[in-house]
Amino acid sequence: MSEEARRPRLHLDRRRFFETSSAIAAAAAMPRILSIPRALAQAGSTMVVAAPATPQSLDCNFDVSLGTFEAIAALYDGLLGFNKIPDPNVPTALREDIAYHADKPGGVNMYGKLAESWELDPQGRWARFKLREGVKSNWGNELTAEDVKWTWDRAFALGALGAFYTKVSGLTKPEDVRVESKYVVSFNIDAPNPLLLKIHTNLYTPVYDSKKCKEVGGGDDPWARKFIENNSAGFGPYQLQQLVRGQQAVFKARSDYYAGKPAIDTVVFKEVPTSAARVQLLRGGAVDIAQYLQPLEIISLKGVPNVAVETVPASFMIWIELNAKMAPFDKVDVRRAMNYAFPQADVMKSVFQGLASPLDGCMPNIYPGYAGKLVDYSYNLDKAKELLARAGYGDGFKTSLAYNAGDPVQEPIAIIYQTSLRQIGVELELKKVPAGSFYNAVTERKQPMIFYVDSPWCPDPGYSLTLYFDSKSYVNYSNYSNPEVDGLLAQAASTADDEIRLEVTRKAQAIIMDEAPWTFVAYPNYTMARKANLKGWTYYTSNNIRFQDFSRA
């Protein structure tokens, strides 16, 4: 395997959200998707999803590309889940209850998935889980504590995304995860950690069927990397029937799923690269769900017969990385100036069409611990010029901004920004990067400025801030480094006292916002565009759908 292939695709290659919506591109995409047999598309127990991309890998330790995290949610289960509540603004939708609950263990309103029950040390130094008995994987092997242990041993052994999860949950070595009995497993840490329970609600902390993995991996591949990349060994509601990358993935509901067979028997997850084609397929009734559409396309679907469109606030964020290891962005005043020169209100109106809110923070504004608007970067070219002069760039400078050719909102944002920056002497070269290689361009950290779209999948301020701003985090693509911030995040990770955590994470947010490692763009909403007779949609902070939620009206 090449070095490039080994790189962990952490958060998130959903940057392949969209392609250009030109009529030519739409027409080119139509013949392949319309090859779906009419009977299959209309079958009551079949759901067809038009998506930008099929799963690139089924190994969630190394890949979160668009399509992959949809597959993980179908093929695997974790120990816990957030209880659901009605969305306050969309009565036909549910969402996870991610609020802090002081009267519940860990402050989390959870239900058991693979875990039947659990205990949490009052000091937050251990958590013990009693597993459901008789739960079978898609290979027929029973769930035991050994499977949980093997799963976390794999995370320690392979690093990548697993290393992030072990770190943020306070685990330092494989021995911290202990098999207490056949159906009881415990997690034990040296210092209190607020994520000891919450981490197990995360989509990317599933449990593997270790018996199957050991069987197929053998001595040559003890962690079954080759197998898991293309197959599943999990305890989730679906099993993989077909995966043809670039075309489609087909999932079949498991009749032996411990929570009951899902209502939708077959899911056809079809790759339709252009959003315009996805819209037309939904309009024509050929698909049940059209994912990741442009704002104007979303608006165009409202009022279309037999189509339902629901938009809710989400954990999505879009920003521009300002590479702190490259001049001139190694100077804080330059980064501040780039924010004062960003016409955010114009972008909200002309690009997002009211389907987003201004990114005025460095973590999702729907999460507990979000500190609010700590720094006012309202559009102010005079202030931007003043800061550039103070940084020694009174005459401006030349730089470049890389954007994803597969995301239709990035190019118009870049053009608006380019025009604005020209007024303060900054000449911005725009670099269109193909969707297939854009994530690699982000992870290489060689661009002075590059767009990024992401969401931290755990609704916690310490998790969110550590992901993007800890100097040692893989996902710190702006190369931001501040020892004080590192110390505050370490403090937040080592106490279960919610008041202390909120205080230190607020301080961290204030420093980060002031030092501006990003150009802050938007909080895009999550939109579900689907056939009106498809019920059961829940918004998840992982910004994906769960096939098992849906049924026909």
Side-chain angles (χ1 to χ4, degrees):
M1 181 177 293
S2 68
E3 182 60 31
E4 188 65 37
R6 292 177 186 274
R7 287 181 181 169
R9 294 179 172 271
L10 292 174
H11 289 267
L12 286 161
D13 197 10
R14 20 183 127 170
R15 345 299 178 218
R16 296 183 63 195
F17 275 176
F18 314 103
E19 293 285 333
T20 142
S21 63
S22 69
I24 293 175
M30 294 293 280
R32 182 175 63 185
I33 183 68
L34 290 180
S35 65
I36 298 173
R38 181 172 295 274
L40 180 61
Q42 294 180 346
S45 62
T46 297
M47 182 172 72
V48 183
V49 181
T54 48
Q56 298 303 297
S57 168
L58 298 178
D59 191 340
C60 67
N61 196 59
F62 296 97
D63 200 304
V64 288
S65 59
L66 191 60
T68 294
F69 61 97
E70 308 280 10
I72 297 303
L75 301 173
Y76 293 93
D77 261 350
L79 295 177
L80 303 172
F82 288 106
N83 277 313
K84 300 176 183 180
I85 56 175
D87 186 274
N89 300 311
V90 181
T92 54
L94 298 174
R95 64 189 301 128
E96 294 173 305
D97 181 4
I98 61 173
Y100 178 76
H101 294 268
D103 60 329
K104 297 183 181 296
V108 187
N109 184 16
M110 300 178 297
Y111 71 97
K113 296 181 78 174
L114 296 181
E116 181 179 73
S117 60
W118 56 94
E119 301 175 80
L120 179 67
D121 171 36
Q123 279 71 50
R125 295 178 184 271
W126 55 261
R128 183 179 297 117
F129 299 90
K130 165 64 172 62
L131 304 180
R132 297 182 186 275
E133 299 183 24
V135 173
K136 297 295 181 65
S137 76
N138 59 300
W139 296 101
N141 297 318
E142 186 184 13
L143 170 71
T144 71
E146 292 290 349
D147 295 311
V148 181
K149 168 66 174 169
W150 186 89
T151 296
W152 285 86
D153 284 354
R154 185 178 194 266
F156 274 106
L158 297 181
L161 188 53
F164 174 78
Y165 285 120
T166 58
K167 178 181 178 180
V168 297
S169 55
L171 301 169
T172 60
K173 54 189 180 302
E175 292 74 23
D176 291 342
V177 183
R178 302 170 190 167
V179 174
E180 306 286 350
S181 65
K182 183 176 182 179
Y183 301 110
V184 178
V185 63
S186 65
F187 292 73
N188 306 270
I189 54 180
D190 296 329
N193 189 289
L195 299 181
L196 199 53
L197 283 182
K198 193 180 291 186
I199 200 69
H200 298 289
T201 65
N202 195 290
L203 177 64
Y204 266 36
T205 55
V207 178
Y208 291 104
D209 174 356
S210 62
K211 183 176 181 180
K212 179 64 178 180
C213 291
K214 291 175 182 178
E215 174 189 314
V216 297
D220 295 334
D221 188 11
W223 303 111
R225 285 192 59 175
K226 294 178 181 178
F227 179 80
I228 290 176
E229 184 175 359
N230 301 292
N231 297 276
S232 65
F235 301 90
Y238 285 83
Q239 59 189 14
L240 185 68
Q241 186 178 54
Q242 180 192 60
L243 174 57
V244 182
R245 291 180 175 87
Q247 296 184 30
Q248 69 179 23
V250 180
F251 303 86
K252 293 290 291 185
R254 291 180 51 203
S255 59
D256 60 345
Y257 181 52
Y258 69 91
K261 182 181 178 181
I264 301 296
D265 182 69
T266 303
V267 178
V268 181
F269 196 79
K270 199 78 174 176
E271 180 165 320
V272 185
T274 68
S275 60
R278 297 195 292 275
V279 168
Q280 292 305 314
L281 291 166
L282 180 60
R283 279 178 172 269
V287 303
D288 296 284
I289 296 174
Q291 290 191 305
Y292 305 118
L293 307 179
Q294 299 182 36
L296 286 173
E297 291 169 338
I298 293 168
I299 293 171
S300 76
L301 285 171
K302 294 183 178 180
V304 173
N306 302 316
V307 171
V309 180
E310 297 167 334
T311 298
V312 299
S315 61
F316 275 137
M317 301 183 289
I318 179 170
W319 66 88
I320 297 169
E321 307 277 10
L322 302 176
N323 196 326
K325 287 188 176 180
M326 296 181 68
F329 304 117
D330 55 340
K331 294 185 179 296
V332 173
D333 277 339
V334 172
R335 301 198 300 264
R336 292 169 178 148
M338 297 299 286
N339 277 279
Y340 282 113
F342 180 69
Q344 192 176 59
D346 188 11
V347 168
M348 293 298 106
K349 181 179 179 180
S350 62
V351 178
F352 287 103
Q353 302 288 318
L355 296 174
S357 59
L359 183 63
D360 56 9
C362 49
M363 61 173 285
N365 59 0
I366 66 170
Y367 281 7
Y370 164 73
K373 194 172 184 178
L374 298 173
V375 178
D376 185 0
Y377 284 120
S378 297
Y379 192 53
N380 189 331
L381 292 181
D382 290 337
K383 180 69 172 177
K385 289 179 181 178
E386 176 188 330
L387 289 166
L388 287 184
R390 193 165 74 185
Y393 291 92
D395 296 328
F397 56 87
K398 293 182 179 180
T399 189
S400 63
L401 169 59
Y403 67 93
N404 187 350
D407 184 340
V409 304
Q410 292 187 18
E411 184 172 71
I413 293 172
I415 292 171
I416 293 171
Y417 199 14
Q418 180 188 51
T419 301
S420 178
L421 288 173
R422 193 171 291 132
Q423 297 179 66
I424 61 171
V426 176
E427 290 298 322
L428 189 64
E429 176 192 359
L430 303 185
K431 300 172 65 175
K432 181 185 289 189
V433 180
S437 59
F438 183 77
Y439 184 69
N440 291 335
V442 173
T443 60
E444 286 171 354
R445 299 170 172 82
K446 294 180 180 179
Q447 301 296 326
M449 300 173 65
I450 190 166
F451 274 92
Y452 201 56
V453 182
D454 200 8
S455 60
W457 285 356
C458 188
D460 180 87
Y463 178 102
S464 302
L465 299 173
T466 299
L467 186 66
Y468 302 122
F469 304 109
D470 184 286
S471 62
K472 296 182 180 179
S473 171
Y474 182 86
V475 193
N476 180 357
Y477 297 131
S478 61
N479 289 316
Y480 175 72
S481 180
N482 183 307
E484 185 179 0
V485 170
D486 286 350
L488 290 168
L489 297 179
Q491 187 179 353
S494 61
T495 177
D497 188 310
D498 192 58
E499 289 188 9
I500 294 176
R501 297 191 75 242
L502 290 176
E503 179 184 354
V504 298
T505 54
R506 180 184 175 85
K507 289 181 181 178
Q509 289 174 73
I511 296 170
I512 293 163
M513 291 300 297
D514 178 59
E515 296 191 337
W518 302 346
T519 294
F520 299 93
V521 180
Y523 290 113
N525 291 352
Y526 187 98
T527 297
M528 168 59 66
R530 68 181 195 282
K531 284 184 178 178
N533 69 347
L534 197 62
K535 306 296 183 181
W537 175 53
T538 296
Y539 170 71
Y540 295 92
T541 55
S542 52
N543 295 296
N544 73 309
I545 57 175
R546 313 286 167 97
F547 306 150
Q548 58 270 29
D549 291 340
F550 292 99
S551 62
R552 300 285 180 185

